[in-house]
Amino acid sequence: MLSIFMNGFETGGYQAALLYVGQEFDLSIGQQGILASVQLFATMIAPLLLGALADRIGKKIMLVVFTAVRVLSAAIILLATDSLVFAVGIFVLGFSCSIVQYVAIAGMQDAYPLTRNRRMGFITAMFALGAVIAPLLVGWSLSTCWGWQGFFLISGIIFLILTVLLARTGFEPREPAREEENRAAQSGIYVKGVALLCFIMFIYVGVENGVCFFLNNFMLDTMNSTRGYLALSLFWLAMIPSRFLCGFLAKYRSRLIVAAPFGAALLLAMLSLTSQETLAFLVVFVLGFFCGGFYPNVLTYVADFAGGKTATVTAAITVATGVGATTISASFGLLHDYFGFSGAFMVLAVLLGVDIFVAMLVPRLQQRTDR
């Protein structure tokens, strides 16, 4: 869970720091979008290159090695004197975090076959908790002599400690699998179901990153607020109770997986029309609550469609999230040029609306796999 917490920590911190990175390296909104997409592109290609490797060589070695790589990435970022070197460091960071993300989730599913649906809400809530704390740390580090680099310094130290802890941790199953779980593990990957889950996450994570990377800029431009990093922290804070509830209410996942995109699309449309800081904080918080329902509900369906290949299927979903995040974040600058921040957010809200119809199909396919 600490690995997932640190992935959320890195995500929220980079999103909050992007504005200040752009200011230091004199980057436009479009160039900041490209810089954001560098990390997200790495997130996309990492599972493409190494997706099934964890199912073959073991999940522990993958987690230890790529957590150590995160220490290297922090060092590159801290030594960066221009945006190109920074981009190299953030690429390495995104690549390693992507591997850690899907391997850690697959490892949890394998270790707890009986309670994995409930635990999925907990583990994704840990990601959100990390993303809550990180923007606050970025805000604090700006008042120190380190500036935004202080965030990456602290991250590197924690990654080093985490590497040692993972090397000393066992990854044996904690619960015996039921007979139906064993049968599911021999059934093979259900491609249609996996494809729908990938599409949902393609749109959602793309929209999430488009909003989070530019929420700071949106509030500064639209309402002259310099507290956009607090709004970002509120967004991730709302995800914590949302994801815990999804874990406890996993038996209602067929409804929750549809409710999440419906509520998120509505709240994002409201945010695009908001021009007052206090109201923006409220809308962002409720938006985060609905967004919190995407990841845990999608991941609870992974085991139904994975046929025992949890790392492979989770990697496929991670690739889809990387593709969506990369393309939408990279294109946000173009959307901003044509429609402004408010119009760009409205376009993203329409994209979330597409997820509503796709999410309705998932429970029907899951029922077929149970027959």
Side-chain angles (χ1 to χ4, degrees):
M1 283 196 177
L2 185 55
S3 292
I4 299 298
F5 171 88
M6 284 307 298
N7 272 16
F9 186 82
E10 180 273 328
T11 297
Y14 183 38
Q15 289 169 348
L18 183 61
L19 170 63
Y20 312 108
V21 174
Q23 289 174 350
E24 176 158 336
F25 296 132
D26 194 24
L27 304 176
S28 67
I29 295 297
Q31 290 170 324
Q32 288 180 44
I34 293 173
L35 194 58
S37 71
V38 168
Q39 180 210 23
L40 302 170
F41 177 71
T43 300
M44 172 186 70
I45 67 169
L48 278 175
L49 297 176
L50 304 175
L53 189 60
D55 281 328
R56 295 200 299 268
I57 70 172
K59 298 177 177 65
K60 177 175 180 175
I61 188 171
M62 295 283 284
L63 286 174
V64 172
V65 169
F66 283 97
T67 300
V69 172
R70 295 204 279 188
V71 181
L72 173 64
S73 69
I76 296 173
I77 290 170
L78 290 171
L79 294 173
T81 56
D82 55 47
S83 59
L84 180 59
V85 177
F86 179 89
V88 172
I90 212 68
F91 178 90
V92 175
L93 182 60
F95 191 96
S96 54
C97 284
S98 178
I99 298 294
V100 169
Q101 180 82 1
Y102 81 81
V103 174
I105 290 173
M108 189 282 296
Q109 290 174 325
D110 293 344
Y112 298 97
L114 300 182
T115 58
R116 63 186 173 207
N117 286 349
R118 176 165 51 86
R119 291 176 184 274
M120 196 59 65
F122 300 160
I123 198 171
T124 53
M126 290 299 291
F127 183 100
L129 179 60
V132 168
I133 295 173
L136 300 178
L137 183 60
V138 171
W140 169 81
S141 67
L142 291 173
S143 64
T144 69
C145 60
W146 300 314
W148 58 265
Q149 289 96 335
F151 166 77
F152 291 100
L153 174 62
I154 294 172
S155 296
I157 294 171
I158 298 175
F159 288 145
L160 181 60
I161 296 171
L162 184 55
T163 301
V164 176
L165 294 176
L166 284 170
R168 301 179 62 181
T169 301
F171 284 76
E172 302 81 10
R174 269 59 167 185
E175 298 172 348
R178 294 189 296 255
E179 182 59 32
E180 55 266 34
E181 299 288 345
N182 293 327
R183 288 198 303 269
Q186 301 170 3
S187 62
I189 296 175
Y190 192 63
V191 177
K192 290 182 180 179
V194 174
L196 289 181
L197 297 180
C198 286
F199 188 85
I200 290 171
M201 295 303 289
F202 165 81
I203 291 182
Y204 163 64
V205 176
V207 170
E208 176 196 276
N209 279 274
V211 172
C212 290
F213 273 117
F214 296 100
L215 183 59
N216 226 344
N217 284 286
F218 166 72
M219 293 188 65
L220 181 62
D221 180 80
T222 305
M223 53 200 78
N224 199 31
S225 170
T226 58
R227 299 194 295 174
Y229 68 91
L230 291 178
L232 181 61
S233 188
L234 281 174
F235 175 83
W236 288 106
L237 178 64
M239 286 198 186
I240 298 175
S242 174
R243 289 177 170 179
F244 271 115
L245 282 173
C246 287
F248 283 114
L249 303 176
K251 63 181 179 180
Y252 301 111
R253 56 188 170 148
S254 61
R255 300 174 186 174
L256 295 175
I257 200 172
V258 177
F262 180 83
L266 181 62
L267 267 296
L268 184 52
M270 290 177 61
L271 179 63
S272 70
L273 302 174
T274 302
S275 58
Q276 296 181 353
E277 183 188 63
T278 303
L279 182 58
F281 284 154
L282 176 62
V283 173
V284 166
F285 183 84
V286 182
L287 172 63
F289 186 86
F290 280 104
C291 286
F294 279 86
Y295 216 173
N297 285 300
V298 165
L299 291 177
T300 56
Y301 279 103
V302 164
D304 297 325
F305 302 136
K309 302 293 185 180
T310 51
T312 302
V313 172
T314 309
I317 291 174
T318 305
V319 171
T321 65
V323 174
T326 301
T327 54
I328 292 177
S329 295
S331 62
F332 194 93
L334 183 62
L335 290 174
H336 171 266
D337 290 342
Y338 276 97
F339 307 112
F341 280 113
S342 296
F345 279 180
M346 186 65 76
V347 172
L348 298 187
V350 173
L351 286 177
L352 279 179
V354 178
D355 259 357
I356 299 171
F357 301 101
V358 179
M360 290 178 180
L361 302 176
V362 173
R364 299 177 186 177
L365 288 183
Q366 188 268 336
Q367 290 171 3
R368 294 182 189 178
T369 65
D370 291 340
R371 293 174 185 170

